[in-house]
Amino acid sequence: MSPLPPLTIIPAHLQTVADYEQQSSQHLAESTWHYLQGGAMHELSVQENQIQFQDIRLIPRHLNDFSQSNTRVNLFGMDYPHPIFLAPIGHQALFHSQAEQATALAAELMQSNFVLSTLSNTHMEALNKENPYKWFQLYWQANREKSLALIQLAEQHNYKAIVITIDAPHTGIRDRERKIFFQLPNEMPHPHASVDLEIGNLAADEHPIFQGLMKVAPKWEDIEWLMGNTKLPVILKGVLHPADAKKAVECGISGLIVSNHGGRVLDTTIPPLIALQKIRAVVPVSYPLLLDGGIRRGSDIFKAIALGASAVLIGRPYIYGLATAGALGVAHVLKILKEEFEVTMALMGTTTLQEINHDFINQ
Ligand SMILES: Cc1cc2nc3c(=O)[nH]c(=O)nc-3n(C[C@H](O)[C@H](O)[C@H](O)COP(=O)(O)O)c2cc1C
């Protein structure tokens, strides 16, 4: 069956992220659906990312005064009205003809930070320069000069931070994609970088991975060099080990995204929510830690903040909105999660993000 065209109005039955998930499957080609939903190997981490929230129990408090309450957060010198950001997702033309333009528009409207991927189909200069709710995500470009050139372009076009994704120097082994021979369309534009990095020819006795992609992967020295060449905050995405978190703090990295890439790179990683707690224990008290992976409800956002997150990112949920109804769908998904989060805060008796802490979790 060919996919349905995107909707132009939101029908009343779309009330949760799960509703959007179901609806969006009707608007996407089957191979695109598997690309979006899938992950590495057995996809245990994909599943566990959602289970990690379902396993946690809340302990509410009551009778607080809510007259001054809000969901505001301040990160890297900027105020955000809520802590729900949009994670970098490449190739968004797969999901809707307006691709990243639609996502950025919805993010701006909802004052949610959008992280534009290196592998976007939309050039970073095509997004509204005045919109302050945008960061750029860098996939290391095999050498320092090419990587820095992208960062400088982001600076010129008013992106407010650089997110360097460090957990995917090689693509994950995605059985699902391999089985259906998933390939990106040949004609798909990638204005910032080619999808495949150039690694040159290998000698017969060289390892195709170690002397291939891993040879051009970034190292700590490269990240430090980049930081020395930009004034923007640099955030590392994909950190799970507390020792890496400690090292990042020592190097002067501005913040971390605790993430397993939505379970798409390495299967059976530590759940990001557990990693978050281990990392929170070794970094300075107010050090920015963002969390992504598996967030589907406002109560998940509450749990992430209670366990040490400063803010969260969503990936697949906003793509469900994009595929269903373009910018309107993305904005609606954000609105749903924001409202669910506010209701959770109210029912938990917490009036600001600063009040949300471990005491509200039964562990
Ligand atoms: C289709 C797809 C494409 C992605 N592309 C990127 C990317 O270009 N760069 C990146 O850092 N992460 C990428 N990610 C990972 C997301 O940024 C994020 O970590 C993940 O989706 C969070 O999990 P969730 O989908 O359960 O919310 C991608 C994820 C998906 C599902």
Side-chain angles (χ1 to χ4, degrees):
M1 215 173 63
S2 52
L4 298 176
L7 305 176
T8 50
I9 51 163
I10 303 292
H13 72 269
L14 295 180
Q15 293 176 8
T16 63
V17 169
D19 294 337
Y20 266 97
E21 178 174 9
Q22 208 177 29
Q23 180 73 35
S24 64
S25 68
Q26 299 174 42
H27 298 274
L28 293 172
E30 203 185 331
S31 61
T32 307
W33 177 248
H34 287 301
Y35 170 69
L36 174 65
Q37 294 292 81
M41 295 190 177
H42 294 297
E43 300 185 352
L44 294 173
S45 285
V46 175
Q47 294 167 31
E48 201 169 22
N49 278 1
Q50 290 188 44
I51 295 169
Q52 64 179 348
F53 291 104
Q54 294 161 6
D55 281 349
I56 288 172
R57 296 290 170 270
L58 299 167
I59 318 173
R61 295 196 58 188
H62 302 300
L63 300 177
N64 268 350
D65 174 5
F66 272 81
S67 55
Q68 303 297 318
S69 54
N70 65 71
T71 56
R72 281 201 294 273
V73 62
N74 183 286
L75 278 175
F76 314 116
M78 229 179 105
D79 275 323
Y80 298 93
H82 62 85
I84 314 166
F85 297 172
L86 303 183
I89 299 241
H91 333 293
Q92 293 193 15
L94 283 173
F95 312 113
H96 190 274
S97 59
Q98 286 164 7
E100 292 85 3
Q101 288 275 16
T103 301
L105 185 65
E108 183 175 359
L109 186 78
M110 298 300 294
Q111 297 169 291
S112 166
N113 231 17
F114 170 41
V115 190
L116 184 79
S117 167
T118 297
L119 297 179
S120 61
N121 302 128
T122 307
H123 197 284
M124 56 178 123
E125 69 187 20
L127 301 189
N128 178 13
K129 195 168 180 184
E130 307 309 315
N131 169 19
Y133 298 104
K134 56 187 193 304
W135 294 351
F136 179 70
Q137 177 258 324
L138 178 80
Y139 273 130
W140 183 255
Q141 289 303 301
N143 67 51
R144 291 181 171 186
E145 290 66 34
K146 281 189 186 168
S147 303
L148 182 60
L150 286 178
I151 290 187
Q152 287 173 336
L153 212 53
E155 283 174 354
Q156 281 164 28
H157 293 288
N158 200 27
Y159 287 71
K160 298 295 184 195
I162 302 295
V163 171
I164 308 182
T165 300
I166 58 168
D167 62 1
H170 195 283
T171 351
I173 295 177
R174 301 201 198 125
D175 298 353
R176 223 205 260 222
E177 281 177 29
R178 289 175 169 194
K179 283 206 179 86
I180 57 166
F181 301 102
F182 177 80
Q183 276 197 319
L184 293 169
N186 282 334
E187 68 283 5
M188 182 171 256
H190 288 104
H192 306 119
S194 113
V195 174
D196 299 308
L197 289 179
E198 278 179 35
I199 50 169
N201 293 330
L202 290 173
D205 60 344
E206 285 189 310
H207 289 273
I209 311 294
F210 299 145
Q211 276 89 45
L213 275 174
M214 294 315 290
K215 198 167 79 181
V216 296
K219 298 169 195 62
W220 284 104
E221 306 86 84
D222 298 310
I223 304 291
E224 283 181 295
W225 179 84
L226 271 188
M227 282 169 47
N229 282 285
T230 179
K231 291 201 168 53
L232 291 179
V234 171
I235 299 155
L236 295 184
K237 173 169 183 278
V239 176
L240 291 174
H241 203 297
D244 276 352
K246 263 173 122 168
K247 183 142 190 175
V249 173
E250 280 158 25
C251 291
I253 298 284
S254 302
L256 303 175
I257 301 179
V258 179
S259 165
N260 64 1
H261 214 110
R264 296 170 73 78
V265 180
L266 179 67
D267 201 14
T268 66
T269 65
I270 181 173
L273 207 49
I274 309 275
L276 173 71
Q277 294 168 70
K278 290 179 185 283
I279 290 175
R280 183 46 85 200
V282 299
V283 298
V285 177
S286 55
Y287 190 75
L289 294 179
L290 288 79
L291 178 104
D292 82 15
I295 286 173
R296 301 294 181 267
R297 305 236 57 148
S299 50
D300 299 342
I301 300 168
F302 185 95
K303 290 171 185 174
I305 293 172
L307 295 173
S310 321
V312 301
L313 300 101
I314 54 169
R316 294 177 186 88
Y318 81 85
I319 298 295
Y320 302 147
L322 180 68
T324 300
L328 189 61
V330 177
H332 191 212
V333 165
L334 276 167
K335 183 166 178 283
I336 289 170
L337 285 173
K338 188 171 170 285
E339 278 176 11
E340 286 187 358
F341 176 57
E342 275 186 45
V343 171
T344 308
M345 276 183 68
L347 296 177
M348 289 297 298
T350 47
T351 65
T352 62
L353 262 62
Q354 291 69 38
E355 284 179 12
I356 304 175
N357 62 36
H358 202 281
D359 294 347
F360 294 90
I361 301 288
N362 184 38
Q363 252 187 349

